Amino acid sequence: EVTVVALNTGFDGAITPDTWIQAEYGKVKYVSYTRLNLAIKYCWIAVQQSRKADIIHINSIFYPPSLFIACFCAINRKKVFWAPRGELSNNALTYSSSIKKIIIRVARIFSRRVNFHVTSALEKTDVEKIFGSRINVYQIPNYLQLIDVLQPVQNQTFLYVGRLHPIKGLEKFIKALAASKNFTKSGFRFLIMGDDSGSYADTLKTLVLSLKLSGSVMFIGKKSGRDRNQMYADAKFLVLPSESENFGNVVVEALCQGTPVIASKGTPWKLLEDYNAGYWIENSIKQLSETIDIALNIPDSLYQQQRINALKLVRENFDIEKGVEEWIKSYQTAS
């Protein structure tokens, strides 16, 4: 039996907050808040629900309510799985570093009483670097329930999906587009899917204008459901040029549609290279630009093979139907 307590961030009236909703996986409550970093009502409901739970999953080390809930559950000897979600990478730690150092000191007190969930060997190294090698760490990727492959409507785009933040390497990719020999005359577009209302989005838009790419680089806002999956299906390649990434769910979502991926070596996606389902490269402007030109001129036979390989990769490695036993075993052996 599953109970989810979450914040109502980003729903824009699409759900009723502070009400238990019965979903296909269990009951969920999206809690409203006044101040994101306090979210007292969210903490209270989560703590109350944790008293009845056998296992508690918590995301984020540095979100203050997550820290509070994790510490409360650890003190009460609950079985906790705590997922940093990439927050402990060297690149991520450079942002708001003084506050993060304080939070890490508090988290270290309870680190031996929880089980850390990481999604890659790279993230496991990051976690052990902070909390030591004697902690309990379970390395399990983000499995997905695979969906039907949609028919592409058109196939002339590079696609980025995710939050707009400097760690995502988008400035480098946009500069690489400008440096490409073929992009501006190819008819291709680069679509950026994500919340584009922040200051960093404004920085990217200014960069696009300065490089005279406004006709080729477009900010399309957030998409969900079938619309989002159709965007994956329509893309020639998904791009993830991040400085660092603990996993990257968007890669699996794209592969589910048979869409190859261009990912940086700051991400744990060597499988793209192993399966020939895209490109795993350094995210220098030069390397990105060269890969863009390769992608633009790829022979159709080779590209169709990459699409086949993309589906093979995701079905062999990230199908939840095959991975659920790994979670069950972890639940049974965790402290």
Side-chain angles (χ1 to χ4, degrees):
E1 295 181 357
V2 177
T3 300
V4 178
V5 181
L7 296 171
N8 72 331
T9 303
F11 281 97
D12 300 324
I15 55 96
T16 302
D18 305 317
T19 302
W20 286 111
I21 299 168
Q22 190 62 42
E24 61 180 342
Y25 49 81
K27 65 176 185 177
V28 56
K29 179 178 282 191
Y30 296 101
V31 183
S32 61
Y33 59 91
T34 302
R35 296 181 63 184
L36 180 62
N37 284 331
L38 288 178
I40 295 172
K41 182 164 54 174
Y42 165 75
C43 291
W44 173 254
I45 295 171
V47 163
Q48 292 304 309
Q49 292 299 315
S50 74
R51 294 179 184 275
K52 299 180 283 185
D54 300 302
I55 299 166
I56 294 94
H57 284 263
I58 301 168
N59 290 319
S60 176
I61 300 290
F62 297 126
Y63 181 52
S66 292
L67 177 68
F68 171 78
I69 296 163
C71 294
F72 175 87
C73 292
I75 290 170
N76 286 277
R77 301 294 180 181
K78 288 289 186 176
K79 187 178 288 191
V80 176
F81 281 78
W82 201 358
R85 298 297 177 193
E87 291 179 338
L88 298 177
S89 71
N90 288 334
N91 280 302
L93 289 172
T94 61
Y95 300 95
S96 305
S97 58
S98 58
I99 296 173
K100 289 180 178 178
K101 286 177 183 177
I102 295 170
I103 292 175
I104 285 171
R105 289 194 191 103
V106 176
R108 278 182 178 142
I109 299 171
F110 303 97
S111 60
R112 297 285 298 281
R113 297 188 186 183
V114 301
N115 307 281
F116 288 94
H117 167 225
V118 300
T119 53
S120 66
L122 179 62
E123 188 177 27
K124 183 174 187 288
T125 300
D126 291 336
V127 171
E128 291 181 340
K129 190 184 301 181
I130 297 296
F131 295 112
S133 59
R134 298 177 66 187
I135 57 172
N136 296 323
V137 182
Y138 289 85
Q139 181 182 324
I140 306 174
N142 291 342
Y143 292 107
L144 270 71
Q145 186 171 18
L146 304 188
I147 62 175
D148 293 337
V149 180
L150 300 176
Q151 186 66 32
V153 176
Q154 52 83 30
N155 200 222
Q156 299 289 302
T157 61
F158 294 108
L159 176 67
Y160 168 83
V161 179
R163 66 188 179 116
L164 275 55
H165 187 280
I167 204 170
K168 297 298 184 177
L170 286 169
E171 288 176 83
K172 286 184 179 179
F173 192 79
I174 291 169
K175 291 177 181 177
L177 291 173
S180 162
K181 297 176 182 176
N182 301 306
F183 176 72
T184 55
K185 57 188 178 184
S186 67
F188 269 66
R189 297 178 299 162
F190 176 41
L191 304 183
I192 300 175
M193 185 193 302
D195 183 359
D196 61 346
S197 60
S199 59
Y200 181 63
D202 292 338
T203 298
L204 293 177
K205 291 173 184 177
T206 300
L207 177 63
V208 168
L209 285 172
S210 69
L211 295 174
K212 297 181 173 57
L213 291 173
S214 55
S216 303
V217 178
M218 299 180 180
F219 296 80
I220 61 173
K222 298 193 313 190
K223 306 285 184 183
S224 61
R226 187 178 177 87
D227 288 343
R228 179 183 174 105
N229 290 324
Q230 189 65 59
M231 295 297 295
Y232 284 125
D234 289 347
K236 185 104 178 198
F237 287 88
L238 178 83
V239 298
L240 190 65
S242 306
E243 301 294 340
S244 67
E245 198 80 45
N246 72 302
F247 187 72
N249 266 16
V250 295
V251 173
V252 181
E253 291 171 0
L255 295 173
C256 280
Q257 293 301 325
T259 299
V261 178
I262 299 170
S264 73
K265 290 190 174 178
T267 74
W269 280 101
K270 186 177 183 298
L271 280 174
L272 295 171
E273 193 175 79
D274 296 341
Y275 276 76
N276 185 27
Y279 305 96
W280 190 56
I281 60 171
E282 299 293 341
N283 73 340
S284 67
I285 294 171
K286 181 176 185 295
Q287 182 77 73
L288 288 168
S289 179
E290 290 174 353
T291 305
I292 288 166
D293 286 330
I294 290 171
L296 288 170
N297 295 295
I298 187 171
D300 187 63
S301 59
L302 177 56
Y303 179 71
Q304 293 305 320
Q305 186 60 55
Q306 286 189 343
R307 287 182 55 81
I308 293 169
N309 295 343
L311 291 170
K312 181 181 179 183
L313 188 165
V314 76
R315 289 167 179 168
E316 289 184 355
N317 295 277
F318 301 105
D319 183 353
I320 187 60
E321 299 300 330
K322 298 177 181 177
V324 67
E325 290 299 326
E326 190 172 1
W327 269 113
I328 292 172
K329 182 180 178 181
S330 299
Y331 290 149
Q332 292 171 338
T333 59
S335 58

